[in-house]
Amino acid sequence: MNPSLKFLLVFIISLEISIKNSLTTNILLILAALIFLLWQRIKIKDILLLIAVPFIAAFTIFATLYWFQTQPDHQYAWILSSRVYVYVLTIACVAKTTTATELARSLEQNLHLPSKFAYGVLAALNIIPRMKAAVKQIRTAAMMRGMYLSFWSPMLYFKAILVAISAADNLAQGMESHGYVEGRARSAIIKIPLTSKDWCLFILILFLVNVSLFCFK
C-alpha cells in the first residue's frame, strides 16, 4: 500500500477506536497487526518487545480503572488497556514496511505537502547519526583534557548546538548547490505511485474496521 495511505489508515483507525468503544474490534486489530508483522518476517525478539514494552502502560490503565475505582468497570478497563496495543502494533506495521524516506517522498508527491517540509524531515533524520557521533567526539575530547561531561552537562549541549548550527549551514549550502529553490516545482527522481489498488485496499480495511466497531462491543 502507498505509504501516505498507510499513514492515514493508521491515523483514522486510531481516531475511531478512541471515539467508539469496542473491545472485540481492538482484539481483532491486535491479532491482525501481529499476523501482518509475522507475515513480514519480523523477528520474534521484536514481537516480544512490542508486547512487553507497552505492558506497563496498559497494566497501569487497567489497574486504575478496575482496582482503584469506587465502581469498577472491567469492560471499560479492558477496552482502554487494549487500545495501547492497537496504537503500538498498528504503528509498528507502518514502520516495518515503510522507511522515513519513502514516507517523506510520498507525503510530498501524493498529499502535496510542501517540499521544504519533506526535505526538512529527511534532513533532521539523516543528521541524527552525525549528531550522535559529534556528541561522542565532544565527550572524548573533554575526557582527554581531564573533563567529564555528563549527560546533563550544559557545556555538552552548548557544544552540540554549535555543531548542529554548522551542520545546518552546510546542509543549506548543499541543497542550494543541487538546485533546490523553495517554492519552485521539482521533479522526482524516485516516484511513489498511488494506484487504484491502494485506494481499494484502503477503503476495504477502513470499511471492515467500521463494520466491526458498530456491530461488536
Side-chain angles (χ1 to χ4, degrees):
M1 186 186 291
N2 180 272
S4 295
L5 288 186
K6 281 190 285 188
F7 174 78
L8 286 177
L9 180 64
V10 170
F11 177 77
I12 293 172
I13 289 176
S14 300
L15 186 62
E16 288 187 338
I17 66 171
S18 300
I19 298 173
K20 178 69 174 177
N21 296 329
S22 175
L23 179 59
T24 303
T25 302
N26 292 351
I27 295 174
L28 290 175
L29 287 171
I30 292 171
L31 292 176
L34 288 173
I35 293 172
F36 178 79
L37 290 172
L38 291 173
W39 181 58
Q40 291 294 324
R41 297 181 180 179
I42 189 173
K43 296 179 180 179
I44 300 298
K45 177 182 177 181
D46 295 335
I47 289 284
L48 294 176
L49 284 175
L50 289 173
I51 295 174
V53 172
F55 178 77
I56 298 175
F59 179 77
T60 302
I61 294 173
F62 180 85
T64 302
L65 294 175
Y66 187 72
W67 287 314
F68 300 103
Q69 291 287 337
T70 54
Q71 296 180 345
D73 187 349
H74 71 279
Q75 177 77 6
Y76 192 57
W78 279 113
I79 289 173
L80 290 189
S81 57
S82 62
R83 281 180 186 172
V84 176
Y85 281 100
V86 175
Y87 298 147
V88 171
L89 293 175
T90 51
I91 292 173
C93 290
V94 177
K96 176 63 179 177
T97 57
T98 307
T99 64
T101 302
E102 290 173 343
L103 181 58
R105 285 174 174 164
S106 179
L107 291 175
E108 180 192 9
Q109 297 176 28
N110 305 134
L111 296 186
H112 305 290
L113 264 66
S115 58
K116 62 181 180 181
F117 174 81
Y119 285 101
V121 171
L122 290 177
L125 292 174
N126 290 326
I127 206 174
I128 290 176
R130 294 182 57 187
M131 289 303 302
K132 288 182 178 179
V135 170
K136 184 177 180 180
Q137 185 178 5
I138 292 169
R139 297 185 69 179
T140 302
M143 291 177 68
M144 292 178 66
R145 297 194 301 268
M147 297 173 57
Y148 175 74
L149 299 180
S150 61
F151 181 76
W152 53 84
S153 174
M155 185 178 295
L156 175 63
Y157 289 102
F158 177 74
K159 292 180 179 291
I161 290 172
L162 294 179
V163 173
I165 293 174
S166 176
D169 290 337
N170 294 335
L171 177 63
Q173 293 177 11
M175 292 179 68
E176 289 180 1
S177 65
H178 282 77
Y180 177 81
V181 179
E182 184 177 348
R184 298 286 184 86
R186 293 181 58 83
S187 59
I189 298 178
I190 301 176
K191 293 188 176 181
I192 308 296
L194 181 58
T195 63
S196 56
K197 180 182 177 181
D198 294 329
W199 280 110
C200 290
L201 188 58
F202 173 82
I203 294 172
L204 176 62
I205 295 175
L206 202 57
F207 173 76
L208 293 176
V209 171
N210 279 273
V211 169
S212 178
L213 278 173
F214 288 96
C215 291
F216 302 108
K217 294 183 178 180

